[in-house]
Coordinates of all heavy atoms in Angstrom, one line a residue:
L262 N 97.2 106.4 88.7 CA 95.8 105.8 88.7 C 96.0 104.5 89.6 O 96.8 103.7 89.5 CB 95.4 105.3 87.3 CG 95.1 106.4 86.4 CD1 94.8 105.7 84.9 CD2 93.8 107.2 86.7
K263 N 95.0 104.5 90.6 CA 94.9 103.3 91.4 C 93.5 102.8 91.4 O 92.5 103.6 91.5 CB 95.3 103.6 92.9 CG 96.7 104.0 93.2 CD 97.0 104.2 94.6 CE 98.4 104.8 94.8 NZ 98.4 106.3 94.5
S264 N 93.3 101.4 91.4 CA 92.0 100.8 91.5 C 91.9 100.5 92.9 O 92.6 99.7 93.5 CB 92.1 99.6 90.6 OG 90.8 99.3 90.1
E265 N 90.9 101.0 93.6 CA 90.6 100.8 95.0 C 89.9 99.5 95.2 O 89.1 99.1 94.3 CB 89.9 101.9 95.6 CG 90.7 103.2 95.6 CD 92.0 103.0 96.5 OE1 91.8 102.8 97.7 OE2 93.1 103.2 96.0
P266 N 89.9 98.8 96.3 CA 89.2 97.5 96.6 C 87.7 97.7 96.3 O 87.1 96.7 96.0 CB 89.6 97.3 98.0 CG 90.7 98.0 98.4 CD 90.7 99.3 97.5
D267 N 87.1 98.9 96.6 CA 85.7 99.0 96.3 C 85.3 99.4 94.9 O 84.2 100.0 94.7 CB 85.1 99.8 97.4 CG 85.7 101.3 97.3 OD1 86.5 101.6 96.4 OD2 85.3 102.2 98.1
N268 N 86.3 99.2 93.9 CA 86.0 99.7 92.6 C 86.0 101.2 92.4 O 85.7 101.7 91.3 CB 84.8 99.1 91.9 CG 84.9 97.5 91.8 OD1 86.0 96.9 92.0 ND2 83.8 96.9 91.6
R269 N 86.4 102.0 93.4 CA 86.6 103.3 93.1 C 88.0 103.5 92.4 O 88.8 102.8 92.7 CB 86.6 104.2 94.4 CG 85.3 104.5 95.1 CD 85.4 105.0 96.4 NE 84.3 104.5 97.2 CZ 83.1 105.2 97.4 NH1 82.9 106.2 96.6 NH2 82.2 104.7 98.0
I270 N 88.2 104.7 91.7 CA 89.5 104.9 91.1 C 90.0 106.2 91.7 O 89.4 107.2 91.9 CB 89.3 105.1 89.6 CG1 88.6 103.9 88.9 CG2 90.7 105.4 88.9 CD1 89.3 102.6 89.1
M271 N 91.3 106.0 92.2 CA 92.0 107.2 92.7 C 92.9 107.8 91.6 O 93.5 107.1 90.9 CB 92.9 106.8 93.8 CG 93.8 107.9 94.5 SD 94.7 107.4 95.9 CE 95.9 108.6 96.0
I272 N 92.6 109.1 91.3 CA 93.3 109.7 90.2 C 94.2 110.8 90.9 O 93.7 111.7 91.5 CB 92.3 110.4 89.2 CG1 91.4 109.3 88.6 CG2 93.1 111.0 88.0 CD1 90.2 109.9 87.9
S273 N 95.4 110.8 90.7 CA 96.4 111.7 91.4 C 97.6 111.9 90.4 O 97.5 111.8 89.2 CB 96.7 111.3 92.8 OG 97.3 110.0 92.7
G274 N 98.8 112.1 91.0 CA 99.9 112.2 90.3 C 100.8 113.4 90.7 O 102.0 113.5 90.3
G275 N 100.2 114.3 91.5 CA 101.1 115.4 92.0 C 100.7 116.8 91.6 O 101.4 117.7 91.9
L276 N 99.5 117.0 91.0 CA 99.0 118.4 90.7 C 98.8 119.0 92.1 O 98.2 118.6 93.0 CB 97.7 118.3 89.9 CG 97.9 117.9 88.5 CD1 96.5 117.8 87.8 CD2 98.9 118.8 87.7
P277 N 99.2 120.3 92.2 CA 99.1 121.0 93.5 C 97.7 121.6 93.8 O 97.0 121.9 92.9 CB 100.1 122.1 93.3 CG 100.2 122.4 91.9 CD 99.9 121.1 91.2
G278 N 97.3 121.5 95.1 CA 96.2 122.3 95.5 C 96.7 123.6 96.1 O 97.9 123.9 96.1
V279 N 95.8 124.3 96.8 CA 96.1 125.6 97.5 C 95.9 125.4 98.9 O 94.8 124.9 99.4 CB 95.3 126.7 96.8 CG1 95.5 128.0 97.7 CG2 95.5 126.9 95.4
W280 N 96.9 125.8 99.7 CA 96.9 125.6 101.2 C 96.4 127.0 101.9 O 97.0 128.1 101.5 CB 98.2 125.1 101.7 CG 98.2 124.7 103.1 CD1 98.7 125.4 104.1 CD2 97.6 123.6 103.7 NE1 98.5 124.8 105.3 CE2 97.8 123.7 105.1 CE3 96.9 122.5 103.2 CZ2 97.3 122.6 106.0 CZ3 96.4 121.5 104.0 CH2 96.7 121.6 105.4
N281 N 95.6 126.8 102.8 CA 95.2 128.0 103.7 C 95.7 127.7 105.0 O 95.4 126.9 105.8 CB 93.6 128.2 103.7 CG 93.2 129.3 104.5 OD1 93.9 129.7 105.4 ND2 92.1 130.0 104.1
A282 N 96.8 128.6 105.3 CA 97.5 128.4 106.6 C 96.7 128.6 107.9 O 96.8 128.1 108.9 CB 98.8 129.3 106.7
E283 N 95.7 129.5 107.7 CA 94.9 129.9 108.9 C 93.8 128.8 109.2 O 93.7 128.3 110.4 CB 94.0 131.1 108.5 CG 94.5 132.4 109.1 CD 93.8 133.7 108.7 OE1 92.5 133.6 108.7 OE2 94.5 134.6 108.3
T284 N 93.3 128.2 108.2 CA 92.3 127.1 108.4 C 92.9 125.8 108.5 O 92.3 124.8 108.8 CB 91.1 127.1 107.4 OG1 91.8 126.9 106.1 CG2 90.4 128.4 107.3
E285 N 94.2 125.7 108.0 CA 95.0 124.5 107.9 C 94.3 123.5 107.0 O 94.1 122.3 107.3 CB 95.3 123.9 109.3 CG 96.1 124.9 110.1 CD 96.7 124.3 111.4 OE1 96.3 123.1 111.7 OE2 97.6 124.7 112.0
R286 N 93.6 124.0 105.9 CA 92.9 123.1 105.0 C 93.4 123.4 103.6 O 93.8 124.6 103.3 CB 91.4 123.4 105.1 CG 90.7 123.1 106.3 CD 90.6 121.7 106.8 NE 90.0 120.8 105.8 CZ 88.7 120.5 105.8 NH1 87.9 120.9 106.8 NH2 88.3 119.7 104.9
G287 N 93.2 122.4 102.7 CA 93.7 122.7 101.4 C 92.5 122.6 100.4 O 91.4 122.0 100.7
T288 N 92.6 123.2 99.2 CA 91.5 123.3 98.2 C 92.0 122.8 96.9 O 93.1 123.2 96.5 CB 90.9 124.7 98.0 OG1 90.6 125.3 99.3 CG2 89.7 124.7 97.2
A289 N 91.3 121.9 96.3 CA 91.7 121.4 95.0 C 91.2 122.4 93.9 O 90.1 123.0 94.1 CB 91.1 120.1 94.6
L290 N 92.0 122.7 93.0 CA 91.6 123.8 91.9 C 90.8 123.1 90.8 O 91.1 122.0 90.3 CB 92.9 124.4 91.3 CG 93.8 125.1 92.4 CD1 95.1 125.4 91.7 CD2 93.1 126.4 92.9
E291 N 89.7 123.9 90.4 CA 88.8 123.3 89.4 C 89.6 123.0 88.1 O 89.4 121.9 87.5 CB 87.8 124.3 89.0 CG 86.6 124.4 90.0 CD 85.9 123.0 90.2 OE1 85.8 122.2 89.2 OE2 85.5 122.8 91.3
A292 N 90.6 123.8 87.7 CA 91.3 123.5 86.5 C 92.1 122.4 86.5 O 92.2 121.6 85.6 CB 92.2 124.8 86.1
S293 N 92.7 122.1 87.7 CA 93.5 120.9 88.0 C 92.7 119.6 88.0 O 93.1 118.5 87.5 CB 94.3 121.0 89.2 OG 95.1 122.1 89.3
I294 N 91.5 119.8 88.5 CA 90.5 118.6 88.5 C 90.3 118.2 87.2 O 90.4 117.0 86.8 CB 89.3 118.9 89.4 CG1 89.5 119.3 90.8 CG2 88.3 117.8 89.2 CD1 88.4 119.7 91.7
S295 N 89.9 119.1 86.3 CA 89.5 118.8 84.9 C 90.7 118.3 84.2 O 90.6 117.4 83.4 CB 89.0 120.1 84.2 OG 88.2 120.8 84.9
A296 N 92.0 118.9 84.4 CA 93.1 118.4 83.7 C 93.5 117.0 84.1 O 93.8 116.2 83.2 CB 94.3 119.4 84.0
N297 N 93.4 116.7 85.4 CA 93.7 115.3 85.9 C 92.8 114.3 85.3 O 93.2 113.3 84.8 CB 93.6 115.3 87.4 CG 94.7 114.6 88.1 OD1 94.6 114.4 89.4 ND2 95.6 113.9 87.4
L298 N 91.5 114.7 85.3 CA 90.4 113.8 84.8 C 90.6 113.6 83.3 O 90.5 112.4 82.7 CB 89.1 114.3 85.1 CG 87.9 113.4 84.8 CD1 88.0 112.1 85.5 CD2 86.5 114.1 85.2
A299 N 90.9 114.7 82.5 CA 91.1 114.6 81.1 C 92.2 113.6 80.8 O 92.2 112.8 79.9 CB 91.3 115.9 80.5
D300 N 93.3 113.8 81.6 CA 94.5 112.9 81.3 C 94.2 111.3 81.6 O 94.5 110.5 80.9 CB 95.6 113.3 82.3 CG 96.6 114.4 81.6 OD1 96.5 114.5 80.4 OD2 97.3 114.9 82.4
A301 N 93.4 111.2 82.6 CA 93.0 109.8 83.0 C 92.2 109.2 81.9 O 92.3 108.0 81.6 CB 92.2 109.9 84.4
I302 N 91.2 110.0 81.4 CA 90.3 109.4 80.3 C 91.2 109.1 79.1 O 90.9 108.2 78.3 CB 89.2 110.5 80.1 CG1 88.2 110.5 81.2 CG2 88.4 110.1 78.8 CD1 87.2 111.6 81.2
S303 N 92.1 110.0 78.8 CA 92.9 109.9 77.6 C 93.7 108.6 77.6 O 94.0 107.9 76.7 CB 93.8 111.1 77.2 OG 94.8 111.0 78.1
V304 N 94.0 108.1 78.8 CA 94.9 106.9 79.1 C 93.9 105.7 79.2 O 94.3 104.6 78.7 CB 95.8 107.1 80.3 CG1 96.1 105.8 80.9 CG2 96.9 108.0 80.1
Y305 N 92.9 106.0 79.9 CA 91.9 104.8 80.2 C 90.5 105.3 79.7 O 89.7 105.8 80.6 CB 92.0 104.4 81.6 CG 91.4 103.1 81.8 CD1 92.3 102.0 81.7 CD2 90.1 102.9 82.0 CE1 91.7 100.7 81.9 CE2 89.5 101.6 82.2 CZ 90.4 100.5 82.0 OH 89.9 99.3 82.1
P306 N 90.1 105.2 78.5 CA 88.8 105.7 78.1 C 87.6 105.4 78.8 O 86.7 106.3 78.9 CB 88.8 105.3 76.5 CG 90.2 105.0 76.1 CD 90.8 104.4 77.4
D307 N 87.4 104.3 79.4 CA 86.2 103.9 80.2 C 86.1 104.9 81.3 O 84.9 104.9 82.0 CB 86.3 102.5 80.7 CG 86.0 101.5 79.6 OD1 85.8 101.9 78.5 OD2 86.1 100.3 79.9
L308 N 87.1 105.5 81.7 CA 86.9 106.5 82.9 C 86.1 107.7 82.5 O 85.7 108.6 83.4 CB 88.2 107.0 83.5 CG 89.1 105.9 84.1 CD1 90.4 106.5 84.6 CD2 88.2 105.4 85.4
A309 N 85.7 107.9 81.2 CA 84.7 109.0 80.8 C 83.4 108.8 81.5 O 82.7 109.7 81.8 CB 84.5 108.9 79.3
A310 N 83.1 107.5 82.0 CA 81.9 107.3 82.7 C 82.0 107.5 84.2 O 81.0 107.5 84.9 CB 81.4 105.9 82.5
A311 N 83.2 107.9 84.6 CA 83.4 107.9 86.1 C 82.9 109.2 86.6 O 83.0 110.3 86.0 CB 84.9 107.8 86.5
E312 N 82.3 109.3 87.8 CA 81.9 110.5 88.6 C 82.8 110.7 89.6 O 83.0 109.8 90.5 CB 80.4 110.3 89.1 CG 79.4 110.3 88.0 CD 78.0 110.2 88.7 OE1 77.6 111.1 89.4 OE2 77.4 109.2 88.4
I313 N 83.3 111.9 89.8 CA 84.2 112.3 90.9 C 83.4 112.6 92.1 O 82.5 113.3 92.1 CB 85.1 113.6 90.5 CG1 85.9 113.4 89.2 CG2 86.0 114.0 91.7 CD1 86.9 112.3 89.3
E314 N 83.8 111.8 93.2 CA 83.1 112.0 94.5 C 83.8 112.8 95.4 O 83.2 113.6 96.2 CB 82.8 110.6 95.1 CG 81.8 110.6 96.3 CD 81.5 109.2 96.6 OE1 82.3 108.5 97.2 OE2 80.4 108.9 96.3
V315 N 85.2 112.7 95.4 CA 86.0 113.4 96.4 C 87.1 114.1 95.6 O 87.8 113.6 94.7 CB 86.6 112.5 97.4 CG1 87.7 113.1 98.3 CG2 85.6 111.7 98.1
A316 N 87.3 115.4 95.9 CA 88.6 116.2 95.4 C 89.2 116.7 96.7 O 88.7 117.7 97.3 CB 88.1 117.3 94.4
D317 N 90.4 116.1 97.0 CA 91.0 116.4 98.3 C 92.4 117.1 98.1 O 93.1 116.7 97.2 CB 91.1 115.1 99.0 CG 91.8 115.3 100.4 OD1 93.0 115.3 100.4 OD2 91.1 115.4 101.4
A318 N 92.7 118.1 98.9 CA 94.0 118.7 98.9 C 94.3 119.0 100.3 O 95.0 120.1 100.5 CB 94.0 119.9 98.0
D319 N 94.0 118.3 101.2 CA 93.9 118.6 102.7 C 95.1 118.0 103.5 O 95.1 118.1 104.7 CB 92.7 118.0 103.4 CG 91.6 119.0 103.6 OD1 92.0 120.3 103.5 OD2 90.5 118.7 104.0
H320 N 96.1 117.5 102.7 CA 97.2 116.9 103.4 C 98.6 117.4 103.0 O 99.0 117.1 101.9 CB 97.0 115.3 103.2 CG 95.7 114.9 103.7 ND1 95.6 114.6 105.0 CD2 94.5 114.7 103.1 CE1 94.3 114.3 105.2 NE2 93.6 114.3 104.1
L321 N 99.1 118.1 103.9 CA 100.3 118.9 103.6 C 101.6 118.0 103.6 O 101.7 117.1 104.6 CB 100.5 120.0 104.6 CG 101.2 121.3 104.3 CD1 100.6 121.9 103.0 CD2 101.1 122.2 105.5
E322 N 102.4 118.0 102.6 CA 103.6 117.3 102.5 C 104.8 118.3 102.3 O 104.7 119.3 101.8 CB 103.5 116.4 101.2 CG 104.8 115.8 100.6 CD 105.1 114.5 101.5 OE1 104.7 114.3 102.7 OE2 105.7 113.6 100.8
S323 N 106.0 117.9 102.9 CA 107.1 118.7 102.8 C 108.0 118.3 101.5 O 108.0 117.0 101.2 CB 108.0 118.8 104.0 OG 108.4 117.4 104.3
S324 N 108.6 119.2 100.8 CA 109.4 118.9 99.6 C 110.8 119.6 99.7 O 111.0 120.6 100.5 CB 108.7 119.5 98.4 OG 107.6 118.8 98.0
A325 N 111.8 118.9 99.3 CA 113.1 119.4 99.2 C 113.6 119.8 97.9 O 113.1 119.2 96.8 CB 114.0 118.3 99.8
I326 N 114.5 120.7 97.8 CA 114.8 121.3 96.5 C 115.4 120.3 95.5 O 115.2 120.5 94.3 CB 115.9 122.4 96.8 CG1 116.0 123.4 95.6 CG2 117.2 122.0 97.3 CD1 114.7 124.2 95.4
D327 N 116.1 119.2 96.0 CA 116.6 118.3 95.1 C 115.8 116.9 95.0 O 116.3 115.9 94.6 CB 118.1 118.0 95.4 CG 118.3 117.5 96.8 OD1 117.4 117.6 97.6 OD2 119.4 117.2 97.1
N328 N 114.6 117.0 95.5 CA 113.6 116.0 95.3 C 113.9 114.6 96.0 O 113.4 113.6 95.7 CB 113.4 115.7 93.8 CG 112.0 115.3 93.4 OD1 111.0 115.8 94.1 ND2 111.8 114.7 92.3
I329 N 114.7 114.7 97.0 CA 114.9 113.6 97.9 C 114.8 114.1 99.4 O 115.1 115.3 99.6 CB 116.2 112.8 97.7 CG1 117.4 113.7 97.8 CG2 116.2 112.0 96.5 CD1 118.7 112.9 97.9
P330 N 114.5 113.4 100.4 CA 114.4 113.9 101.7 C 115.7 114.3 102.4 O 116.8 113.9 101.9 CB 113.8 112.7 102.6 CG 114.1 111.4 101.8 CD 114.2 111.9 100.3
I331 N 115.6 115.0 103.5 CA 116.8 115.4 104.3 C 116.5 114.6 105.6 O 115.5 114.9 106.3 CB 116.9 116.9 104.5 CG1 116.7 117.7 103.2 CG2 118.2 117.2 105.2 CD1 116.7 119.2 103.4
I332 N 117.5 113.8 106.0 CA 117.5 113.0 107.2 C 118.8 113.2 108.0 O 119.8 112.7 107.4 CB 117.2 111.5 106.8 CG1 116.0 111.4 106.0 CG2 117.1 110.6 108.1 CD1 115.8 110.1 105.3
D333 N 118.7 113.8 109.1 CA 120.1 114.1 109.6 C 119.9 114.4 111.2 O 118.8 114.4 111.6 CB 120.7 115.3 109.0 CG 122.2 115.1 108.9 OD1 122.8 114.6 109.8 OD2 122.8 115.6 107.9
R334 N 121.1 114.7 111.8 CA 121.0 115.3 113.2 C 120.7 116.8 113.0 O 121.2 117.3 112.0 CB 122.4 115.2 113.8 CG 122.9 114.0 114.5 CD 124.3 114.1 115.0 NE 125.0 113.0 114.8 CZ 125.1 112.0 115.7 NH1 124.4 112.0 116.8 NH2 125.9 110.9 115.4
V335 N 120.1 117.3 114.0 CA 120.0 118.9 114.0 C 121.4 119.4 114.1 O 122.0 119.0 115.1 CB 119.0 119.3 115.0 CG1 118.9 120.8 115.0 CG2 117.7 118.6 114.8
S336 N 121.8 120.4 113.3 CA 123.2 121.0 113.5 C 123.5 121.4 114.9 O 122.7 122.1 115.6 CB 123.2 122.2 112.6 OG 123.4 121.9 111.3
G337 N 124.6 120.9 115.4 CA 125.1 121.3 116.7 C 124.2 120.7 117.9 O 124.5 121.1 119.0
V338 N 123.4 119.8 117.6 CA 122.6 119.2 118.7 C 122.7 117.7 118.6 O 122.2 117.0 117.7 CB 121.1 119.6 118.5 CG1 120.2 119.0 119.7 CG2 120.9 121.0 118.4
D339 N 123.5 117.1 119.6 CA 123.9 115.7 119.4 C 122.7 114.7 119.5 O 122.8 113.7 118.9 CB 124.8 115.4 120.6 CG 126.2 115.9 120.4 OD1 126.5 116.3 119.2 OD2 127.0 116.0 121.3
N340 N 121.7 115.1 120.2 CA 120.7 114.0 120.5 C 119.3 114.3 119.7 O 118.4 113.8 120.2 CB 120.5 113.9 122.0 CG 119.7 115.2 122.5 OD1 120.0 116.3 122.0 ND2 119.0 115.0 123.6
A341 N 119.4 115.1 118.7 CA 118.2 115.2 117.9 C 118.3 114.9 116.4 O 119.2 115.4 115.8 CB 117.7 116.7 118.1
L342 N 117.4 114.0 116.0 CA 117.3 113.6 114.6 C 116.1 114.1 114.0 O 115.1 114.2 114.6 CB 117.3 112.1 114.5 CG 118.6 111.3 114.9 CD1 118.3 109.8 115.0 CD2 119.7 111.6 114.1
Y343 N 116.1 114.5 112.7 CA 114.9 115.0 112.0 C 114.9 114.3 110.6 O 115.9 113.9 110.1 CB 114.9 116.5 111.9 CG 115.9 117.0 110.9 CD1 115.5 117.3 109.7 CD2 117.2 117.3 111.4 CE1 116.4 117.9 108.7 CE2 118.1 117.8 110.4 CZ 117.7 118.1 109.1 OH 118.6 118.6 108.2
A344 N 113.7 114.3 110.0 CA 113.5 113.8 108.7 C 112.3 114.6 108.1 O 111.3 114.7 108.8 CB 113.2 112.4 108.6
A345 N 112.6 115.1 106.8 CA 111.5 115.9 106.1 C 111.8 116.0 104.7 O 113.0 115.5 104.3 CB 111.3 117.3 106.8
G346 N 111.0 116.6 103.9 CA 111.3 116.8 102.4 C 111.1 115.6 101.6 O 111.8 115.2 100.8
W347 N 109.9 114.9 101.9 CA 109.7 113.5 101.3 C 109.3 113.8 99.8 O 109.3 112.8 99.0 CB 108.6 112.8 102.0 CG 108.9 112.6 103.5 CD1 108.3 113.2 104.5 CD2 109.9 111.8 104.0 NE1 108.8 112.8 105.7 CE2 109.8 111.9 105.4 CE3 110.9 111.0 103.4 CZ2 110.8 111.2 106.3 CZ3 111.7 110.3 104.3 CH2 111.7 110.4 105.6
C348 N 108.8 114.9 99.4 CA 108.5 115.2 98.0 C 107.5 114.4 97.4 O 107.5 114.1 96.2 CB 109.8 115.1 97.2 SG 111.2 116.0 97.8
G349 N 106.6 113.9 98.2 CA 105.4 113.1 97.7 C 105.8 111.6 97.5 O 105.1 110.8 96.9
H350 N 107.0 111.2 98.1 CA 107.5 109.8 97.9 C 107.9 109.1 99.1 O 108.5 108.1 99.1 CB 108.9 109.8 97.0 CG 108.7 110.6 95.7 ND1 109.7 111.3 95.1 CD2 107.6 110.7 94.8 CE1 109.3 111.8 94.0 NE2 108.0 111.5 93.8
G351 N 107.5 109.7 100.3 CA 108.0 109.1 101.5 C 107.3 107.9 102.0 O 107.8 107.2 102.9
W352 N 106.1 107.6 101.5 CA 105.3 106.5 102.0 C 106.0 105.1 101.8 O 106.2 104.4 102.8 CB 103.9 106.4 101.3 CG 103.2 105.3 101.9 CD1 102.9 104.1 101.3 CD2 102.5 105.3 103.2 NE1 102.3 103.3 102.2 CE2 102.0 104.0 103.4 CE3 102.5 106.2 104.2 CZ2 101.3 103.6 104.5 CZ3 101.8 105.9 105.4 CH2 101.2 104.6 105.5
A353 N 106.3 104.8 100.6 CA 106.8 103.4 100.2 C 108.0 103.0 101.1 O 108.2 101.9 101.5 CB 107.2 103.4 98.7
I354 N 108.9 104.0 101.3 CA 110.2 103.7 102.0 C 110.1 103.7 103.5 O 111.1 103.6 104.2 CB 111.3 104.5 101.5 CG1 111.0 106.0 101.6 CG2 111.7 104.2 99.9 CD1 112.2 107.0 101.0
A355 N 108.9 104.1 104.0 CA 108.8 104.3 105.5 C 109.2 103.1 106.3 O 109.9 103.2 107.4 CB 107.4 104.8 105.9

Side-chain angles (χ1 to χ4, degrees):
L262 294 172
K263 292 184 191 77
S264 211
E265 293 298 297
D267 59 1
N268 295 345
R269 286 171 209 274
I270 305 302
M271 176 171 162
I272 304 171
S273 58
L276 290 177
V279 175
W280 187 254
N281 181 328
E283 263 176 43
T284 59
E285 299 189 349
R286 301 291 304 265
T288 309
L290 298 169
E291 281 305 326
S293 303
I294 296 173
S295 311
N297 218 184
L298 187 57
D300 271 345
I302 294 168
S303 73
V304 160
Y305 200 89
D307 282 0
L308 289 178
E312 284 179 69
I313 302 298
E314 190 168 75
V315 175
D317 179 277
D319 255 350
H320 301 277
L321 209 52
E322 167 82 330
S323 59
S324 287
I326 195 72
D327 54 355
N328 220 22
I329 56 167
I331 313 175
I332 304 168
D333 215 328
R334 277 182 220 271
V335 179
S336 279
V338 184
D339 284 347
N340 66 334
L342 294 173
Y343 72 93
W347 304 111
C348 309
H350 307 144
W352 181 260
I354 55 180

